[in-house]
Amino acid sequence: MAEGEAQDVCGDGGVMKRVLRAGTGDPPPAGARCKIHFTATLSDGTLVDSSAERNESSAPFALSLGHGRLVRGLEAGLRTMRRHERAELVCRADYAYGARGAAPIPPHAAVRYEVELCVWRAEFSREAAEVDGVTRLEVCRATKRRAAEFFAAGEWGEAQEDYFDAARELEQGEMPPARRREAWELLLTCWLNEAQCWLKLEEWRRAEALCTKVLRHDERSVKARFRRAVAYARLDCAAKAIEDLQEARRLEPANKEVAALLRQCKEEEAKERECVKALAQKMFVSPAADPKDGEGQEAGSTPEDAARSAEVPRWYEVWKYCDVSSRWRGALIDGATAVATVAVAVVAATWAAEVLKGTGYFVATT
């Protein structure tokens, strides 16, 4: 259908469609989950509904086809649309809200929708997967292929859901003995690809957990070590990232991505150590005192000051070689603050009890 050309969707004039921007791919089937942007207006231009109002944000509105919960004309129009298509759907009253209407839509009112189909994904075919192990494996392969299409299109959330569905079915379902190795390799691939989706979505902990899951079964997986290292680096765990990257480089010495990230992590670790060094100097080096102390003697020249200065290198060396990331330093500071707060509360409570006791508020009972 050409852009701007009117189409009678249902054949009786009940839903007239005009394409405003062409899309790609296939239309969604019954049962598909769709994400759309839409506005709904009356014939006089009054806005009566929109995805922005429903979500209170710019996020698309999620819905499912084929469950009888949508306006009949809207569902009929969506069933003809393709990914990223934008269209105008003019629904006659009997394809909209009918003779009753629905506030603020009056009875017998036509409704004009402007809809953009952002993305759709078919529900996982559990009925097909449950026929036998071979069918289950093929359904999972098809789901993985669809996830790859979502990923290539930048729809990382949709891709993650498909990889998750395929992995769950492979992990829980029974497979024929002759196909178990094939199913196991597919499962590890789905876990790795889902981890990559979480990295794109900046969900570092989820990505790290899936890579760790893969490495429990295949410790030689370079992809798992590299992707976990990416997650560790973003979680401020440079030492763990370097450990994974060094092992990955040992397994694949020519891998340029591994080498580049390893170099970057080592640079970050060096900066971290410089920060720790500067902090240690501030914490353990004696502050400058008055030029003269007592009877004309310079500050810091007494035997006691010399002894204190002699202690500085030993403390500094301990701090220098402690590989404490900024995340752990923050945790230690938070812990110390909590302990100090509790101590102050205890002192305050003790003081208050003594005051009340002195006023006779506490009366001994026999």
Side-chain angles (χ1 to χ4, degrees), residues 184-298:
W184 182 249
E185 291 174 354
L186 182 60
L187 172 60
L188 294 182
T189 300
C190 287
W191 280 342
L192 279 172
N193 291 351
E194 187 185 353
Q196 183 68 7
C197 292
W198 286 127
L199 290 178
K200 291 290 188 180
L201 294 166
E202 299 186 359
E203 293 282 353
W204 317 120
R205 287 291 181 196
R206 291 176 183 267
E208 180 265 329
L210 276 170
C211 291
T212 299
K213 198 172 184 179
V214 172
L215 288 167
R216 288 196 198 105
H217 302 286
D218 181 12
E219 61 182 12
R220 297 180 60 82
S221 172
V222 173
K223 284 185 178 180
R225 290 200 177 274
F226 177 78
R227 290 172 188 177
R228 188 169 72 171
V230 172
Y232 279 147
R234 300 308 293 263
L235 289 167
D236 200 15
C237 299
K240 290 184 177 181
I242 289 171
E243 183 181 344
D244 268 341
L245 291 167
Q246 286 176 335
E247 179 62 18
R249 188 173 63 172
R250 187 186 69 79
L251 294 167
E252 282 189 14
N255 192 309
K256 294 182 179 180
E257 282 187 310
V258 170
L261 185 57
L262 179 58
R263 183 168 56 253
Q264 180 183 338
C265 287
K266 285 185 174 181
E267 289 172 358
E268 290 296 324
E269 188 181 42
K271 291 178 184 177
E272 180 77 18
R273 289 185 179 278
E274 286 301 316
C275 291
V276 171
K277 178 179 177 181
L279 179 62
Q281 288 174 334
K282 290 180 181 179
M283 291 180 65
F284 297 114
V285 175
S286 300
D290 293 333
K292 298 292 182 180
D293 184 21
E295 300 177 358
Q297 189 178 32
E298 292 188 5

Side-chain angles (χ1 to χ4, degrees), residues 1-4 7 17-28 77-78 80-88 115-120 153:
M1 177 181 171
E3 292 187 24
Q7 174 191 5
K17 175 186 174 183
R18 185 166 61 91
V19 176
L20 305 177
R21 184 183 67 209
T24 58
D26 298 323
L78 283 171
T80 68
M81 295 178 67
R82 302 173 190 275
R83 289 188 181 95
H84 306 299
E85 179 180 328
R86 190 160 60 88
E88 175 191 68
V115 185
E116 178 185 0
L117 178 57
C118 302
V119 68
W120 65 263

Side-chain angles (χ1 to χ4, degrees), residues 353-366:
E354 290 296 327
V355 170
L356 292 173
K357 185 176 180 181
T359 60
Y361 183 81
F362 292 113
V363 179
T365 59
T366 59

